[in-house]
Amino acid sequence: MTTKPSSCADPVDTQALSVDDARARILDQIAPVSGYEKLAIRSALGRILDETIVSPVDVPAHRNSAMDGFAIRGSEIPPAGEEAEFRCVGAALAGHPFDGEIGSGECIQIMTGAPVPEGLDTVIMQEQAHYDGERIRITGKHRPGQNVREAGEDLARGGVVFSPGRKLTPADLGVIASLGIGELRVRRKPVVAFFSTGDELRSIGEPLGEGEIYDSNRYTLHGMLTDLGVDTLDMGVIADNPDDMREAFRTAADNADVVITSGGVSVGEADYIKPVLEELGEITFWKIRMKPGRPLTFGKLGNATFIGLPGNPVAVMVAFYQFALPALRYMMSGERQPPFLLRARATSPIRKRPGRTEFARGRYSISADGDIEVATTGQQGSGILTSMSHGNCFIILPPRQGSVEVGDEVTIQPFSSLR
Ligand code: AMP
Ligand code: MG
C-alpha cells in the first residue's frame, strides 16, 4: 500500500499542531540576538533599546508656569465672589527668570514655561485678570497651586525612564532628548536571508514562458521584514533541485541569523526543502491546524534559525505574521508579545469548518454607534493576494468555531499591529 502525500485539501489531521502550540514551540527554541551598537538618538527610531535609561535630571528642571498670566501666593486668593488687587513688580519669561523680591499683595507677570519664583505657587490666567498699569485685579474661582508644573513631575532625577527591550518611538526620542542624552545603546538588528523556491518562478524583467509566474513572495517578504526593522539579504529565486538548494542554504546560514524560504515545503515531487534540510540541519516539519498556511518547516541550519513558509502568496503572509513575526520580535526585544486582538461584529457571513484556525481577510471599520464592524474582503483563496491589499485585518476564527452569521462577534487582528 502506498501513502498518499498530504495536501491542504485533506480533512482535519488530529496529529497536527494548533497555531498557539506551534508559536510557543518556536519561541521556546530561539534566543534573543546579542550584540549592540551606539547610535545618535535620531538614528535610534524603531530600534530596540539595549540599556536602562535613568533620568540624570528632573524634568521639568524647575517649577514653571503652564499658562500666560500672573503668579501669586495661593494664600492670597480672594474668597469666591470677592475681588483682590495685586501690585505687579516684574515679569518672568521662559528662559528669563524673575529674581527680585516679591512682598505680600504683590505678583509678577509670568509666561508659559517661565520659572515660578520662590514663595509664589499659583498662576492666574491672563484672561481671568484685569490690569491697569501695575495694578492687577482678580476675581473668579481659583485653587492654590493651579497652573503650575512641579519640578520633576514628568520624570524625577534617578528614576528609570526606559528599560532594555523597548522599541523606541518618536515620543521616546523626545523624552530622551529632554534628559540631555544624545547617544543610545541599541541591539544589533538580526539579519534575515530569504529566497523563493520554484521552477515556475521568474523575476521581474524576465519574460514569462508557458506555465511560469512572477515571484511575488520575495516582495511581500521584503516588505514585511523591512516593516519590522531587520536587516535583509534577498537571495532571489532558487530552482527546484537539491544541489542549488544545498548551496543556497549554506550561503544563507553563513550570512544570516534567520533564513526564511517560501514554497517547496509540501511533500510533492519537487519539494526539496524538507530532504535537503534534514541533510544539512535540525528540522521539524509541522502540519498546523490552520488555513491558509498549513505546512511549516522550522529548525536550525548551522547557527541560523530556519523558517520554511508555504508557497501560496496569502499563506506566506499569514504564516509569516503568525510565526516568523513573533519569533523575530522576540529575537529583537527578548520579550514575548501576545498578539493584538480586538472583538468586532461580522457584517458578512463567513463559511468555516470547525477543527482548525482560519485567517480570513477582513476590513474593519467603526459604525455610527461606535462599534467595531468587520466584513470579509470577498474571495478567500490562498492565492488571492489582493485580499491582503484590500483588507486591513485578519478575522481569526478559532478551531471550535463553525460558520459565522451576520451579527456574530469575531476576533480580528489589525494589520497595523503587525509592523
Ligand atoms: P509550493 O508550496 O512550492 O508547492 O507552492 C504552492 C503554490 O504557490 C504554487 O501555486 C506556486 O506556484 C505558488 N508560489 C510558490 N512560490 C511563489 C512565489 N515566490 N511567488 C508567487 N507564487 C508562488
Ligand atoms: Mg514549488
Side-chain angles (χ1 to χ4, degrees):
M1 203 185 101
T2 53
T3 41
K4 208 167 120 291
S6 57
S7 91
C8 296
D10 287 349
V12 175
D13 179 349
T14 48
Q15 299 296 300
L17 279 181
S18 73
V19 171
D20 290 344
D21 286 348
R23 190 185 293 125
R25 288 197 196 185
I26 289 174
L27 290 175
D28 284 345
Q29 288 178 52
I30 56 178
V33 288
S34 53
Y36 65 87
E37 56 184 315
K38 290 202 159 189
L39 293 179
I41 53 174
R42 272 188 225 275
S43 308
L45 181 64
R47 298 296 298 270
I48 307 294
L49 191 65
D50 193 48
E51 63 178 318
T52 303
I53 303 287
V54 172
S55 181
V57 291
D58 279 333
V59 179
H62 46 255
R63 231 163 34 118
N64 69 90
S65 179
M67 293 283 175
D68 291 343
F70 297 91
I72 64 169
R73 290 180 177 76
S75 57
E76 294 182 348
I77 293 174
E82 289 179 28
E83 191 182 274
E85 192 178 287
F86 295 84
R87 195 168 77 88
C88 187
V89 295
L93 280 71
H96 302 278
F98 174 82
D99 58 5
E101 294 289 310
I102 305 155
S104 73
E106 292 179 342
C107 70
I108 62 160
Q109 188 174 24
I110 194 161
M111 299 298 155
T112 306
V116 176
E118 273 297 313
L120 305 188
D121 57 12
T122 301
V123 172
I124 309 294
M125 274 171 73
Q126 192 162 289
E127 294 81 348
Q128 297 175 336
H130 309 275
Y131 42 107
D132 158 22
E134 60 173 27
R135 292 147 56 85
I136 311 297
R137 282 181 298 116
I138 67 163
T139 53
K141 225 174 143 222
H142 301 283
R143 183 179 50 74
Q146 71 182 19
N147 302 326
V148 171
R149 304 188 279 217
E150 294 300 328
E153 77 173 17
D154 191 2
L155 299 168
R157 180 201 303 256
V160 171
V161 183
F162 296 125
S163 300
R166 181 180 180 85
K167 186 170 181 172
L168 294 162
T169 67
D172 297 351
L173 301 192
V175 169
I176 292 166
S178 74
L179 303 176
I181 296 174
E183 196 185 55
L184 294 175
R185 196 172 122 147
V186 299
R187 299 226 167 110
R188 175 175 76 81
K189 290 183 185 182
V191 179
V192 181
F194 61 103
F195 56 86
S196 298
T197 69
D199 284 346
E200 76 281 27
L201 303 177
R202 289 289 157 268
S203 293
I204 295 167
E206 294 173 1
L208 289 184
E210 181 82 14
E212 294 178 344
I213 58 171
Y214 286 117
D215 170 13
S216 58
N217 292 343
R218 260 166 56 234
Y219 291 84
T220 48
L221 279 170
H222 163 84
M224 294 186 289
L225 291 165
T226 304
D227 265 355
L228 254 185
V230 298
D231 279 337
T232 56
L233 180 63
D234 182 343
M235 295 179 57
V237 175
I238 307 298
D240 288 321
N241 80 66
D243 290 337
D244 289 2
M245 289 250 175
R246 264 187 216 105
E247 195 187 316
F249 284 141
R250 290 204 178 99
T251 308
D254 286 347
N255 292 289
D257 300 293
V258 179
V259 180
I260 296 182
T261 63
S262 73
V265 285
S266 311
V267 280
E269 298 274 286
D271 292 324
Y272 291 109
I273 293 270
K274 193 182 168 205
V276 172
L277 281 169
E278 275 167 349
E279 180 190 322
L280 300 181
E282 296 158 42
I283 291 306
T284 340
F285 177 73
W286 291 329
K287 283 188 241 162
I288 300 178
R289 286 199 295 271
M290 68 188 278
K291 184 192 167 193
R294 192 162 86 121
L296 185 84
T297 305
F298 176 77
K300 277 271 171 205
L301 191 59
N303 289 325
T305 297
F306 180 87
I307 302 176
L309 303 174
N312 275 305
V314 178
V316 166
M317 296 195 77
V318 171
F320 181 92
Y321 282 139
Q322 300 307 320
F323 305 113
L325 175 126
L328 288 165
R329 280 187 176 162
Y330 178 67
M331 286 181 96
M332 294 167 85
S333 70
E335 275 167 25
R336 294 183 180 216
Q337 291 174 17
F340 177 81
L341 304 175
L342 298 171
R343 298 288 286 167
R345 188 153 34 79
T347 58
S348 61
I350 312 170
R351 285 194 25 212
K352 155 83 165 59
R353 206 166 62 177
R356 62 188 181 196
T357 307
E358 292 194 13
F359 295 87
R361 276 75 67 206
R363 274 203 73 77
Y364 73 94
S365 55
I366 311 294
S367 74
D369 308 333
D371 295 332
I372 306 177
E373 295 181 336
V374 68
T376 67
T377 53
Q379 277 200 77
Q380 295 290 322
S382 64
I384 313 277
L385 188 54
T386 50
S387 67
M388 288 296 304
S389 288
H390 298 155
N392 61 7
C393 67
F394 287 123
I395 304 172
I396 304 185
L397 305 169
R400 255 182 294 169
Q401 164 106 49
S403 287
V404 172
E405 310 293 339
V406 170
D408 286 355
E409 277 231 321
V410 291
T411 297
I412 63 168
Q413 182 176 37
F415 292 161
S416 57
S417 69
L418 295 169
R419 29 192 331 200

